[in-house]
Amino acid sequence: MTPSSAVKAALSAQAIETPSWAYGNSGTRFKVFAQQGVPRTPQEKLDDAARVHEHTGVAPTVALHIPWDRVDDYAALAEHARARGLKLGTINSNVFQDDDYKLGSVTHPDPAVRRKALGHLLECVDIMDATGSRDLKLWFSDGTNYPGQDDIRSRQDRLSEALAAVYERLGDEQRILLEYKFFEPAFYMTDVPDWGTAYAHCLKLGPKAQVVVDTGHHAPGTNIEFIVATLLREGKLGGFDFNSRFYADDDLMVGAADPFQLFRIMYEVVRGGGFSPDVAFMLDQCHNIEPKIPAIIRSVMNVQEATAKALLVDAEALAKAQREGDVLGANEALMDAYHTDVRPLLAEWREESGLDPNPMAAYRRSGWAERIVAERQGGQQAGWGA
Amino acid sequence: MTPSSAVKAALSAQAIETPSWAYGNSGTRFKVFAQQGVPRTPQEKLDDAARVHEHTGVAPTVALHIPWDRVDDYAALAEHARARGLKLGTINSNVFQDDDYKLGSVTHPDPAVRRKALGHLLECVDIMDATGSRDLKLWFSDGTNYPGQDDIRSRQDRLSEALAAVYERLGDEQRILLEYKFFEPAFYMTDVPDWGTAYAHCLKLGPKAQVVVDTGHHAPGTNIEFIVATLLREGKLGGFDFNSRFYADDDLMVGAADPFQLFRIMYEVVRGGGFSPDVAFMLDQCHNIEPKIPAIIRSVMNVQEATAKALLVDAEALAKAQREGDVLGANEALMDAYHTDVRPLLAEWREESGLDPNPMAAYRRSGWAERIVAERQGGQQAGWGA
Amino acid sequence: MTPSSAVKAALSAQAIETPSWAYGNSGTRFKVFAQQGVPRTPQEKLDDAARVHEHTGVAPTVALHIPWDRVDDYAALAEHARARGLKLGTINSNVFQDDDYKLGSVTHPDPAVRRKALGHLLECVDIMDATGSRDLKLWFSDGTNYPGQDDIRSRQDRLSEALAAVYERLGDEQRILLEYKFFEPAFYMTDVPDWGTAYAHCLKLGPKAQVVVDTGHHAPGTNIEFIVATLLREGKLGGFDFNSRFYADDDLMVGAADPFQLFRIMYEVVRGGGFSPDVAFMLDQCHNIEPKIPAIIRSVMNVQEATAKALLVDAEALAKAQREGDVLGANEALMDAYHTDVRPLLAEWREESGLDPNPMAAYRRSGWAERIVAERQGGQQAGWGA
Amino acid sequence: MTPSSAVKAALSAQAIETPSWAYGNSGTRFKVFAQQGVPRTPQEKLDDAARVHEHTGVAPTVALHIPWDRVDDYAALAEHARARGLKLGTINSNVFQDDDYKLGSVTHPDPAVRRKALGHLLECVDIMDATGSRDLKLWFSDGTNYPGQDDIRSRQDRLSEALAAVYERLGDEQRILLEYKFFEPAFYMTDVPDWGTAYAHCLKLGPKAQVVVDTGHHAPGTNIEFIVATLLREGKLGGFDFNSRFYADDDLMVGAADPFQLFRIMYEVVRGGGFSPDVAFMLDQCHNIEPKIPAIIRSVMNVQEATAKALLVDAEALAKAQREGDVLGANEALMDAYHTDVRPLLAEWREESGLDPNPMAAYRRSGWAERIVAERQGGQQAGWGA
């Protein structure tokens, strides 16, 4: 196995971006269970994110969602972040919550709606200029619910056109991260349903367009690590939206549903050179019933544990067994790392990094949970609608 | 094939219940797109339902959802229905939208929450007494999002206890229809996830507890008509919640996603003696993007068309081919009915029944759509939240 | 709707290739149920295929599988076909049944095995030269059963290399059709698991490499018509392997499991310009329990019926409803064609084409089934193993 | 957490039955890759099974499959086992490999075929009398490939009748274990497709009929541990057929595809009192590409590791967190045991039990693999066909 010192050095280079919206309320179509102490402003979301970074040491940036995090002065917001040891991260666009987008945004049959949607995307690039963000994450809920409802191919043409216009607007250091999703909220056809579609569009756009893999956005049974390996081989993996699922896009805490899958994904990341600044590690989750800040701390820890295990794989032993066609030996080389309990190693790494060895306990002791419940009275809690 | 006169006679005996909530707004967790002219009261929902029945002739009852359709005077509501040629149908309970139910209702670890939920269920039976409804449809969103979150078996015990208490309260002519659902809104474990679980509970409760099959509540690939045939064989099929799906519980118009599956289901209903008053045919759909009243008319027509095809199957030819092990011949006997275009037959049946042969066109001509947009100004539109 | 004369003219241009192996025995891993009268030689397979073409009029070519159809003299085999009104079609390679391929063929860790596999693929091009076939269909069963068993990315590199070598060898009018498959016989990772992977490889190879869509090779819930529309838009759809499925790669008769899906696929073919000689319509099925020749006749008829319905779609009405955002109207325009019973139209077309209006009945009357049972005594029945 | 001494004591009580057929050749419908040294007789299978038990200490019984393991003298076979420290275990019937069973066995439309199938099942009970086996495992491949092919309900009636006849024949200490399977080899409808169907039949039969859960026989996404908990609560869990899967019934080594799922299953077993002699722990796997004996050793170890983790769960901490609605705390209590590396504990347990701490290495050192390759020359290798 890789020596633990090397693993710890690698872990120090990892950064996991947390999403502003995960600090706010979320739910299912049946009910949003509001939680006490939830932020009411982008600033308060950053305050919470700062707690996650303080206790884990690996969550230094926060993704924003426009319009949910729209502010008048992004420089001031960036300063608010900086003062708490954070930076603003990826800008996430939203072209799915305006009444005009009922039948689509950039793929809508009506050119006026398409122009409006494109306008929003371009505004997001303006915001990136203001926040200094590198990445624009594009998720399109666009699709249709019924066969025949709209023309699949024309919608691809319209999508292409919008993407090209956004790409054109990007600065030299800016990127599009194009997200795909199997289904929901569209229930018959989704305009960017799989990695192949996202890849084909990104390929035509150019090097500043990259695919983002949301781990909850695949058909049942899909081998996600294969996609990761393939996109890395093609130079087209821009990042991850981490979460976990048992069924659909459940948006549970990453690592909660299938920790072995997360490990296999992280192994392909490490093996394929994806453990680099070019690949953004982001969370995209909904904490519908569990308290949000500790859920995010746990999620960050889960990614970190999976990463540590992936780093522990004895690459030489694995390659040797693979070369020799030793099926059981090669599988064992991988499983050996997976079965290792890396929690002691991570506790060590945290102590060496000046952190509490147990982030969950440290957060509990901090009193932050009680404080925000007490202080955040009145106002409008943040959620998907605002 | 069965003579068309026999088919038409059978069709005249069919009744399809429409759900009050399908006339109101609905959506996904991402967005509810409100529609103009949507009802603001249970009375207005009945007004819309009356249009569906007027044009189709087979939708004489309306399911209510408590508390969404809670009124002070159910006798008056029943009278409102009667005056429009309708009757009040199944009562649907709701133990998933109160903040107390975040971790469950009748299966909640806290006995106080369980008592509250049971109280609601018993109130629903009171309402049934007032409305003269036969059936209480129970859908429990109960479940857990994370492994370990709660004890699977204890939750079954609690569920059992609540069901027994409700059963005890039923009048002689009243029934429990217990619904199962694969997942959502619970994302790890659902307390009534499959027909087996619903069946096991109903069996213990007794003859007044029956299983209801929601056609959108199954794992990918599930052979739903097998379940229908099995439940009929066991005397435990209480009814259907019809809708259709490509992915999860998409709640699309029934027959829209897989019309052949709907036909196969209706064939098993006919074959198994389920074309009887003991089996309730209900819709349970969400018209997120399409206009609601015509969508419901279309859905009713889709069920009727599938039924007509099922009735057309040449049972003798089919049985002969099956007996002889003639795989292709037996399949062809079934497909022959499916491939038949039954729309002319249904147009005939409608004309003979004093209806317009084309319900969709008749509704469009009626001016109702324009009228409700004009008249239903102000107030609070009905939706899942109210 | 499109006038039926136009539909009939279009149908006359359609050709559906039948696979030589579907005339032989096939089964599951549990059992191959041999059938009486099954061909023992490639010539006898062609004799059976000629029956299918005689009765349907649209199955003029037969796909060969090497080594199952290996003969000493391909010119003589082509002549055997020609004498029966047939032509030899696509050549299908087989790099999955030699003991050397246990851990892969062109992706195998051992270069000697890769060389052997490549040798076979090149031999197939030699055979194409001899048979005059245009297309080489490549399906690789390559993959791994266990995580870690082999290196995902290295296998992609090896695959790339082999494909390039085959591409290089192609004549000007020859093509590679690259097939993808979700899983089976590999149970953890398949080297060409989805259209995205096949597309990425074909893109690099060049215009003579095209993707083939086997309708049974997708994850549950996959929207196959979206893939068809996308590949046509990209100019990368080389053809179809038709069959149908309820679960995995069930290889049932096309149109048997989800006739509505088949219609939607054919609609995208028509709409996207895929109803052209550049797109090969092939069957790839296993008739495990039903008699093979009538099953293939039925399958050809099913494709034809779906095509007729797709051709019947009123493109103008559909486009208008789509443009206007009329969800129900657009869906109805599509469904109107689907619900049409095209069997009378096809019977007409057959009579006008000098065929029996009922191919199944004509085949039954022909006595061929009885004749092959009587005549094909002794010898080794054809199957997947030979 | 539970003290490790208690865990070790519990582990000493565990027994995992290995299946005779897993020592023989197996494959997919595409190819069986024969392996050198594979047993040629039931006796040689027992010889191999003895190696597994020798190195693991927890595999004392071997399941037989009739007719694959048919011998003239079962007493002699039992003695052969006994001499190697083994006992004969569950008898597995086979009503899927005779040509007569093409369209079904006990559910076949032809009564003569049904009689033949029943005769085989009764013969299996005779064999149980001779071998002293307690359990008869019944898996029926029965089903249909096409809608309409046979009558779903009549097939249930026939199944019922056959099961009753077998039940009647059982001795006082004998049991039926009824297996269900989602699909394969039937591709439209399977006669015992889910636990609900198996449960309903077993309930009617009586206490000596129990359901067996094959971990690879479920629809995608099915929560298997829920089924385990439910069957235990109903007193109807007879045992497990362990294996693992990514897609369909892949029959990979148990614990290879989703070790976390295996842990959750074992946790429900422990929690529900299923860690008892009434619940049979059996493997049912196919080692298509990996060497068989070490694959079985690894599988036994995987079950043991999952069991150890399940036993380690701090039941008190878990129950407390569940009671308090502490979602993250309850999840953490479960995950804490899962994340524990139990390999040192198991090594200890082995040493205390007089075993080599590393069964895989001990087997490799034993020379058995080389010996069987050298000695087992000629003859007919065992496989599914014989």
Side-chain angles (χ1 to χ4, degrees):
Chain A
M1 308 238 289
T2 315
S4 65
S5 57
V7 172
K8 288 190 282 187
L11 288 173
S12 296
Q14 189 172 39
I16 299 161
E17 184 161 304
T18 71
S20 70
W21 56 95
Y23 298 97
N25 286 319
S26 63
T28 69
R29 60 174 170 145
F30 296 102
K31 171 74 176 168
V32 174
F33 293 102
Q35 294 186 10
Q36 288 189 298
V38 150
R40 295 155 303 171
T41 62
Q43 288 77 7
E44 287 182 354
K45 295 179 194 173
L46 291 171
D47 296 345
D48 287 358
R51 298 307 97 209
V52 175
H53 186 44
E54 177 184 337
H55 296 301
T56 64
V58 290
T61 63
V62 181
L64 301 184
H65 191 113
I66 307 300
W68 301 341
D69 296 317
R70 194 174 270 150
V71 292
D72 290 332
D73 184 343
Y74 289 98
L77 191 69
E79 182 47 40
H80 187 97
R82 210 169 304 122
R84 280 147 190 82
L86 299 175
K87 290 175 81 169
L88 303 181
T90 300
I91 299 299
N92 289 258
S93 61
N94 178 322
V95 284
F96 54 90
Q97 286 192 316
D98 188 290
D99 280 332
D100 282 339
Y101 300 143
K102 186 165 77 167
L103 303 182
S105 65
V106 295
T107 68
H108 197 285
D110 180 347
V113 176
R114 298 204 294 274
R115 272 194 302 273
K116 174 174 172 170
L118 178 57
H120 172 75
L121 302 184
L122 297 175
E123 180 205 348
C124 285
V125 187
D126 293 341
I127 292 172
M128 291 165 72
D129 291 341
T131 56
S133 299
R134 177 186 63 174
D135 293 337
L136 174 63
K137 178 135 55 76
L138 298 178
W139 172 61
F140 297 103
S141 71
D142 292 55
T144 61
N145 275 6
Y146 291 101
Q149 179 187 323
D150 199 6
D151 188 57
I152 295 176
R153 182 160 170 169
S154 304
R155 292 175 76 96
Q156 288 295 310
D157 294 338
R158 298 170 199 147
L159 172 64
S160 237
E161 202 180 304
L163 289 173
V166 177
Y167 192 85
E168 186 66 24
R169 167 66 184 82
L170 292 177
D172 287 349
E173 305 302 319
Q174 293 175 333
R175 309 191 304 176
I176 282 176
L177 299 184
L178 183 56
E179 192 163 337
Y180 58 92
K181 185 173 181 180
F182 185 45
F183 81 98
E184 197 213 19
F187 292 132
Y188 161 59
M189 185 274 299
T190 293
D191 290 309
V192 190
D194 53 21
W195 78 266
T197 306
Y199 166 79
H201 280 287
C202 286
L203 206 60
K204 277 173 204 143
L205 290 171
K208 293 187 290 182
Q210 299 276 312
V211 180
V212 64
V213 174
D214 183 304
T215 49
H217 287 189
H218 302 85
T222 301
N223 184 324
I224 300 174
E225 57 269 31
F226 176 88
I227 296 173
V228 170
T230 297
L231 285 173
L232 281 168
R233 185 174 175 271
E234 300 283 339
K236 277 294 180 195
L237 180 65
F240 287 95
D241 264 5
F242 281 120
N243 52 61
S244 74
R245 59 173 288 228
F246 287 97
Y247 304 96
D249 185 31
D250 306 341
D251 279 333
L252 302 175
M253 298 187 300
V254 57
D258 189 346
F260 181 42
Q261 183 190 57
L262 180 61
F263 161 76
R264 298 192 312 263
I265 290 171
M266 292 310 303
Y267 170 73
E268 291 303 330
V269 168
V270 169
R271 185 262 174 259
F275 203 62
S276 100
D278 289 348
V279 176
F281 297 93
M282 302 173 284
L283 303 183
D284 183 9
Q285 306 184 154
C286 291
H287 308 295
N288 297 343
I289 60 167
E290 67 272 24
K292 293 157 200 306
I293 300 173
I296 298 172
I297 292 174
R298 168 61 64 205
S299 302
V300 168
M301 291 171 71
N302 283 352
V303 173
Q304 212 180 14
E305 288 177 19
T307 305
K309 290 182 178 197
L311 290 164
L312 277 173
V313 172
D314 183 338
E316 219 167 298
L318 180 62
K320 180 171 183 294
Q322 290 175 340
R323 231 169 17 240
E324 293 172 353
D326 177 2
V327 176
L328 292 174
N331 178 242
E332 187 174 351
L334 194 77
M335 297 311 287
D336 191 22
Y338 178 66
H339 286 316
T340 303
D341 188 343
V342 294
R343 292 175 300 177
L345 174 74
L346 284 165
E348 251 180 67
W349 174 84
R350 285 188 195 107
E351 291 195 311
E352 290 167 16
S353 309
L355 299 166
D356 190 289
N358 184 336
M360 294 295 280
Y363 174 73
R364 273 196 300 271
R365 277 197 315 272
S366 75
W368 184 260
E370 293 75 17
R371 185 175 145 191
I372 55 179
V373 170
E375 291 184 358
R376 293 178 183 169
Q377 299 288 341
Q380 172 72 40
Q381 289 193 326
W384 284 20
Chain B
M1 308 235 291
T2 315
S4 66
S5 58
V7 172
K8 288 191 283 188
L11 287 173
S12 295
Q14 190 171 37
I16 299 161
E17 184 161 305
T18 71
S20 70
W21 55 97
Y23 298 97
N25 287 319
S26 63
T28 69
R29 62 174 168 144
F30 295 103
K31 170 73 176 168
V32 173
F33 293 102
Q35 295 186 10
Q36 288 189 295
V38 150
R40 295 156 302 173
T41 61
Q43 288 78 6
E44 288 182 353
K45 295 179 195 172
L46 291 171
D47 296 345
D48 287 358
R51 298 309 94 209
V52 174
H53 186 44
E54 178 183 336
H55 296 301
T56 63
V58 291
T61 62
V62 182
L64 300 184
H65 192 113
I66 306 301
W68 301 341
D69 295 318
R70 193 175 271 150
V71 292
D72 290 332
D73 184 344
Y74 289 97
L77 190 69
E79 183 47 42
H80 187 97
R82 210 169 303 122
R84 280 148 190 82
L86 299 175
K87 290 174 81 170
L88 302 182
T90 301
I91 299 299
N92 289 259
S93 61
N94 178 322
V95 283
F96 53 89
Q97 285 191 319
D98 189 289
D99 280 331
D100 283 340
Y101 301 144
K102 187 165 76 168
L103 303 182
S105 65
V106 296
T107 67
H108 197 287
D110 180 346
V113 176
R114 299 204 294 273
R115 273 193 302 274
K116 173 174 173 169
L118 178 58
H120 172 75
L121 303 184
L122 297 175
E123 180 206 347
C124 285
V125 188
D126 293 340
I127 292 172
M128 292 166 71
D129 290 342
T131 56
S133 299
R134 178 186 60 175
D135 292 336
L136 174 63
K137 178 135 55 75
L138 299 178
W139 172 61
F140 297 104
S141 70
D142 293 54
T144 61
N145 275 6
Y146 292 101
Q149 179 187 324
D150 199 6
D151 187 57
I152 295 176
R153 183 160 172 169
S154 304
R155 292 175 76 96
Q156 288 295 310
D157 293 339
R158 297 170 200 149
L159 172 64
S160 237
E161 201 180 306
L163 289 173
V166 177
Y167 192 86
E168 185 66 25
R169 167 67 185 79
L170 292 177
D172 286 351
E173 305 301 319
Q174 292 175 333
R175 308 190 305 176
I176 282 175
L177 298 185
L178 183 57
E179 192 162 337
Y180 58 91
K181 184 173 183 181
F182 185 45
F183 81 99
E184 197 214 18
F187 292 131
Y188 160 59
M189 185 274 298
T190 293
D191 290 309
V192 191
D194 54 20
W195 78 266
T197 306
Y199 166 79
H201 280 287
C202 286
L203 206 62
K204 277 174 204 144
L205 291 171
K208 293 188 290 182
Q210 298 276 312
V211 179
V212 64
V213 174
D214 183 304
T215 49
H217 287 189
H218 301 85
T222 301
N223 184 324
I224 300 174
E225 58 268 29
F226 176 88
I227 296 173
V228 170
T230 297
L231 286 172
L232 280 168
R233 185 174 176 271
E234 301 284 339
K236 278 294 182 195
L237 181 65
F240 287 96
D241 263 5
F242 282 120
N243 51 61
S244 76
R245 60 173 288 228
F246 287 97
Y247 302 97
D249 185 29
D250 306 340
D251 278 334
L252 301 176
M253 297 187 300
V254 57
D258 189 345
F260 182 42
Q261 182 189 58
L262 180 60
F263 161 75
R264 298 193 312 262
I265 289 170
M266 292 311 303
Y267 170 72
E268 292 303 331
V269 168
V270 170
R271 185 261 174 261
F275 203 61
S276 100
D278 290 348
V279 176
F281 297 94
M282 302 172 284
L283 303 182
D284 182 9
Q285 306 183 154
C286 293
H287 308 295
N288 296 344
I289 59 167
E290 67 273 23
K292 292 158 200 304
I293 300 173
I296 298 171
I297 293 175
R298 169 61 63 206
S299 303
V300 167
M301 292 171 70
N302 284 352
V303 174
Q304 212 180 13
E305 289 177 19
T307 306
K309 291 182 178 197
L311 290 164
L312 277 173
V313 172
D314 184 337
E316 220 166 298
L318 179 62
K320 181 170 181 296
Q322 290 175 341
R323 233 170 14 243
E324 293 172 353
D326 177 1
V327 175
L328 292 173
N331 178 242
E332 188 174 350
L334 195 76
M335 297 310 288
D336 192 21
Y338 178 66
H339 286 316
T340 303
D341 189 343
V342 293
R343 292 175 300 176
L345 174 74
L346 284 166
E348 251 180 69
W349 173 85
R350 285 188 195 107
E351 291 196 311
E352 291 167 16
S353 309
L355 299 165
D356 191 288
N358 184 336
M360 294 294 280
Y363 173 74
R364 272 197 298 272
R365 277 197 316 274
S366 75
W368 184 260
E370 293 75 17
R371 188 174 143 191
I372 54 178
V373 169
E375 292 183 356
R376 294 179 183 166
Q377 299 287 341
Q380 172 73 38
Q381 290 194 324
W384 284 19
Chain C
M1 308 235 292
T2 314
S4 65
S5 58
V7 172
K8 288 191 284 190
L11 287 173
S12 296
Q14 190 172 39
I16 299 161
E17 184 162 305
T18 72
S20 71
W21 55 97
Y23 298 97
N25 287 320
S26 63
T28 68
R29 61 174 168 143
F30 296 102
K31 170 75 175 167
V32 174
F33 293 101
Q35 295 186 9
Q36 287 189 296
V38 150
R40 296 154 303 173
T41 63
Q43 288 79 7
E44 287 182 353
K45 294 179 196 173
L46 291 170
D47 296 345
D48 287 357
R51 298 307 96 210
V52 174
H53 186 45
E54 177 183 338
H55 296 300
T56 63
V58 291
T61 63
V62 181
L64 300 184
H65 191 114
I66 307 300
W68 301 340
D69 295 317
R70 194 175 268 151
V71 292
D72 289 333
D73 185 342
Y74 289 97
L77 191 68
E79 183 47 41
H80 187 96
R82 209 170 304 121
R84 281 146 190 83
L86 299 175
K87 291 175 79 170
L88 302 181
T90 301
I91 299 299
N92 289 260
S93 61
N94 179 321
V95 283
F96 54 88
Q97 286 191 317
D98 189 289
D99 280 331
D100 283 340
Y101 301 143
K102 186 166 77 168
L103 304 182
S105 65
V106 296
T107 67
H108 196 286
D110 180 345
V113 176
R114 298 203 294 273
R115 272 193 302 272
K116 173 174 173 170
L118 178 58
H120 171 75
L121 302 184
L122 296 175
E123 180 206 347
C124 285
V125 187
D126 294 341
I127 293 172
M128 291 166 72
D129 291 342
T131 55
S133 299
R134 178 187 61 174
D135 292 335
L136 174 63
K137 179 135 54 76
L138 300 178
W139 171 61
F140 298 104
S141 71
D142 293 54
T144 61
N145 276 5
Y146 292 101
Q149 179 187 324
D150 198 6
D151 186 58
I152 296 176
R153 182 160 173 169
S154 304
R155 292 174 76 97
Q156 287 296 309
D157 294 339
R158 298 170 199 147
L159 172 64
S160 236
E161 201 179 306
L163 289 173
V166 178
Y167 192 86
E168 186 65 24
R169 167 69 184 79
L170 292 177
D172 286 349
E173 305 301 318
Q174 292 175 333
R175 308 190 305 177
I176 282 176
L177 298 185
L178 183 55
E179 193 163 337
Y180 58 90
K181 185 173 183 181
F182 186 46
F183 80 100
E184 197 213 18
F187 292 131
Y188 161 59
M189 186 275 298
T190 292
D191 289 310
V192 190
D194 54 21
W195 78 266
T197 305
Y199 166 80
H201 281 287
C202 286
L203 205 62
K204 277 175 205 143
L205 290 170
K208 294 188 289 182
Q210 297 275 313
V211 180
V212 65
V213 173
D214 183 304
T215 49
H217 286 190
H218 301 85
T222 300
N223 184 324
I224 300 175
E225 58 268 31
F226 176 89
I227 296 172
V228 170
T230 297
L231 285 172
L232 280 169
R233 185 174 175 271
E234 301 284 337
K236 278 293 179 195
L237 180 66
F240 287 95
D241 263 5
F242 282 120
N243 51 63
S244 74
R245 59 173 289 226
F246 287 96
Y247 303 97
D249 185 30
D250 306 341
D251 278 334
L252 302 176
M253 298 188 299
V254 57
D258 189 346
F260 181 42
Q261 183 189 58
L262 180 60
F263 161 75
R264 298 192 313 261
I265 289 171
M266 292 309 303
Y267 170 72
E268 292 303 329
V269 168
V270 170
R271 185 262 175 261
F275 204 63
S276 100
D278 290 347
V279 176
F281 297 93
M282 302 173 283
L283 302 183
D284 182 8
Q285 306 183 155
C286 292
H287 308 294
N288 297 344
I289 59 167
E290 67 273 23
K292 293 158 199 306
I293 300 173
I296 298 171
I297 293 175
R298 169 62 64 205
S299 302
V300 167
M301 292 171 70
N302 283 352
V303 173
Q304 213 180 13
E305 289 177 19
T307 305
K309 290 182 177 197
L311 290 164
L312 277 173
V313 171
D314 183 337
E316 220 166 297
L318 180 62
K320 182 171 180 296
Q322 290 175 342
R323 233 172 12 245
E324 294 173 353
D326 177 2
V327 176
L328 292 174
N331 178 242
E332 187 174 350
L334 194 77
M335 297 310 289
D336 191 23
Y338 178 66
H339 287 316
T340 303
D341 188 343
V342 293
R343 293 175 299 177
L345 174 74
L346 284 166
E348 250 180 68
W349 173 85
R350 285 188 195 106
E351 291 194 311
E352 291 167 15
S353 309
L355 299 165
D356 191 288
N358 184 337
M360 295 293 282
Y363 174 73
R364 274 195 298 272
R365 278 197 315 273
S366 74
W368 184 261
E370 293 74 17
R371 188 175 144 191
I372 55 177
V373 169
E375 292 184 357
R376 294 179 183 167
Q377 299 287 341
Q380 172 72 41
Q381 290 193 324
W384 283 21
Chain D
M1 308 235 292
T2 315
S4 66
S5 58
V7 172
K8 288 191 282 187
L11 288 173
S12 296
Q14 189 172 39
I16 299 161
E17 184 161 305
T18 71
S20 71
W21 56 95
Y23 298 97
N25 287 319
S26 64
T28 69
R29 60 175 170 145
F30 296 102
K31 172 73 176 168
V32 174
F33 294 102
Q35 294 186 11
Q36 288 190 297
V38 151
R40 296 155 303 172
T41 62
Q43 288 77 6
E44 287 182 355
K45 294 179 195 173
L46 291 170
D47 296 345
D48 287 358
R51 299 306 96 211
V52 174
H53 187 46
E54 177 183 338
H55 295 301
T56 63
V58 290
T61 63
V62 181
L64 300 184
H65 191 114
I66 308 301
W68 301 341
D69 295 316
R70 194 175 268 151
V71 292
D72 290 331
D73 184 345
Y74 289 98
L77 191 68
E79 182 48 40
H80 188 96
R82 210 169 303 123
R84 281 148 191 82
L86 299 175
K87 291 174 79 168
L88 302 181
T90 300
I91 299 300
N92 289 259
S93 61
N94 177 322
V95 283
F96 54 89
Q97 286 192 317
D98 189 289
D99 279 332
D100 283 339
Y101 301 143
K102 187 166 76 168
L103 303 181
S105 65
V106 295
T107 68
H108 197 287
D110 180 346
V113 176
R114 298 204 294 274
R115 273 193 303 272
K116 173 173 173 170
L118 178 58
H120 172 75
L121 302 184
L122 297 176
E123 181 206 347
C124 285
V125 187
D126 292 341
I127 292 172
M128 291 166 72
D129 291 342
T131 56
S133 299
R134 178 187 61 173
D135 292 336
L136 174 63
K137 178 134 56 74
L138 299 178
W139 171 62
F140 298 103
S141 72
D142 293 53
T144 61
N145 275 6
Y146 292 101
Q149 178 187 323
D150 199 3
D151 187 57
I152 296 176
R153 182 160 170 169
S154 304
R155 292 175 75 97
Q156 288 295 310
D157 294 339
R158 298 169 199 148
L159 172 64
S160 235
E161 201 180 305
L163 289 173
V166 177
Y167 192 86
E168 185 66 24
R169 167 68 183 79
L170 292 177
D172 287 349
E173 305 301 319
Q174 292 175 333
R175 309 190 305 175
I176 283 176
L177 298 184
L178 182 56
E179 192 163 336
Y180 59 92
K181 185 174 182 181
F182 185 46
F183 81 99
E184 195 212 21
F187 292 131
Y188 160 60
M189 186 274 299
T190 293
D191 289 309
V192 190
D194 54 19
W195 78 266
T197 306
Y199 165 79
H201 281 287
C202 287
L203 205 62
K204 278 174 203 144
L205 291 171
K208 293 188 290 183
Q210 298 276 313
V211 180
V212 64
V213 173
D214 183 303
T215 49
H217 287 190
H218 302 85
T222 301
N223 184 323
I224 301 174
E225 58 268 29
F226 176 88
I227 296 172
V228 170
T230 297
L231 285 172
L232 281 169
R233 184 173 176 271
E234 301 284 339
K236 277 295 182 194
L237 180 66
F240 287 95
D241 263 6
F242 282 120
N243 51 62
S244 74
R245 59 174 287 231
F246 287 97
Y247 303 98
D249 185 30
D250 307 340
D251 279 334
L252 302 176
M253 298 187 299
V254 58
D258 190 347
F260 181 43
Q261 183 189 57
L262 180 61
F263 161 75
R264 297 192 312 262
I265 290 171
M266 292 310 303
Y267 170 72
E268 292 302 331
V269 168
V270 170
R271 185 261 175 261
F275 204 64
S276 99
D278 290 348
V279 176
F281 297 93
M282 302 172 284
L283 302 182
D284 183 9
Q285 306 183 155
C286 292
H287 308 294
N288 297 344
I289 60 166
E290 68 272 24
K292 293 158 199 306
I293 300 172
I296 298 171
I297 293 175
R298 168 62 64 205
S299 302
V300 168
M301 291 171 70
N302 283 352
V303 173
Q304 211 179 15
E305 288 177 20
T307 306
K309 290 182 178 197
L311 290 164
L312 277 173
V313 172
D314 183 338
E316 219 167 298
L318 180 61
K320 181 171 181 296
Q322 290 176 339
R323 233 172 11 244
E324 294 173 353
D326 177 3
V327 176
L328 293 174
N331 178 241
E332 188 175 348
L334 195 77
M335 297 310 289
D336 190 23
Y338 178 65
H339 286 315
T340 303
D341 188 343
V342 294
R343 293 175 299 177
L345 174 74
L346 284 166
E348 250 180 67
W349 172 84
R350 285 187 195 107
E351 291 195 312
E352 291 167 15
S353 310
L355 300 165
D356 190 290
N358 184 338
M360 295 294 281
Y363 174 73
R364 273 195 300 271
R365 278 197 315 272
S366 75
W368 184 259
E370 294 73 18
R371 186 174 145 192
I372 55 179
V373 169
E375 292 183 359
R376 294 177 183 168
Q377 299 288 340
Q380 173 73 41
Q381 289 193 325
W384 284 20

